[in-house]
Amino acid sequence: LTYLSLQNWMGEDAALQFPVIKSIAQIFLITVLPALIGIIISQRFPDLSFKMRTPVKLVSILFMVFVVIGLVRANSANLVEQLNLLGLPIFLLATLAISMGYLLGRIVGLDASQQCTLGIEIGVQNAGTAILVAGGLLHNPMMALTALTYGVLMNVPAFILLIYRNRNLFSPRQTVRLR
């Protein structure tokens, strides 16, 4: 699909320069491999997997906060211009994508955890892929900047959904130990 899009929007030369095999390998390493590792750990060590669920959620939330801070710091000059131009439409797109994923999960009868996962997958995953393709594979900073702007703004509704879904983790009655 990326190859055809490049051919349509940027011409035959850009489409011919798209490294298909390299992009498949990088996307596999970033998306599929971590999921497979998680599945294997969950199947082989279910007690450990259950025990680590809460700490992993907390670390994931903290990681997301640090990624957003890092992205904003590294690109603050360009992000200001992008936010003024595309901020509202991108924020609305991210909110709509995450909300639709969450609601779709609810409509088809998924449990609350799966609803949250579907919302995050639909609204968040593509930004990382877009940044990888635009910046890492096509070496096009302007395309990567738009994806980065989405990547920063998508975290606001994603973070709100995660806080809502995990609100019990932040209650004063429950103590979480990280070792």
Side-chain angles (χ1 to χ4, degrees):
L1 188 57
T2 302
Y3 180 83
L4 295 174
S5 297
L6 287 173
Q7 188 176 15
N8 182 52
W9 294 103
M10 297 181 72
E12 190 73 34
D13 292 340
L16 291 175
Q17 295 174 9
F18 183 72
V20 175
I21 300 300
K22 180 180 178 183
S23 64
I24 290 170
Q26 287 184 345
I27 291 170
F28 176 82
L29 288 173
I30 291 171
T31 59
V32 177
L33 189 60
L36 286 174
I37 291 170
I39 290 168
I40 291 168
I41 289 172
S42 185
Q43 286 181 342
R44 293 192 180 197
F45 308 104
D47 292 338
L48 175 65
S49 177
F50 181 76
K51 188 176 174 181
M52 295 302 296
R53 185 171 287 167
T54 298
V56 167
K57 282 184 182 183
L58 288 173
V59 169
S60 297
I61 291 170
L62 289 174
F63 180 74
M64 185 180 352
V65 169
F66 287 126
V67 166
V68 171
I69 290 169
L71 289 173
V72 169
R73 279 186 153 185
N75 298 284
S76 60
N78 295 329
L79 274 177
V80 171
E81 183 180 335
Q82 281 288 100
L83 287 172
N84 287 332
L85 182 64
L86 298 172
L88 183 59
I90 287 174
F91 178 77
L92 292 174
L93 176 63
T95 302
L96 183 63
I98 291 170
S99 299
M100 293 304 292
Y102 185 82
L103 291 174
L104 178 64
R106 180 169 270 187
I107 288 169
V108 300
L110 298 178
D111 66 38
S113 177
Q114 292 169 323
Q115 293 169 18
C116 184
T117 299
L118 191 58
I120 297 297
E121 280 297 314
I122 289 174
V124 172
Q125 183 178 7
N126 291 331
T129 305
I131 292 169
L132 170 72
V133 169
L137 299 173
L138 298 176
H139 306 290
N140 187 324
M142 288 309 292
M143 290 172 83
L145 185 59
T146 302
L148 176 63
T149 305
Y150 182 90
V152 170
L153 291 178
M154 73 175 181
N155 286 288
V156 175
F159 191 66
I160 291 168
L161 177 60
L162 289 175
I163 294 297
Y164 170 75
R165 174 68 183 100
N166 295 291
R167 61 192 176 279
N168 62 334
L169 293 176
F170 302 100
S171 71
R173 290 182 232 145
Q174 183 176 352
T175 305
V176 177
R177 290 187 191 163
L178 295 175
R179 294 182 188 185

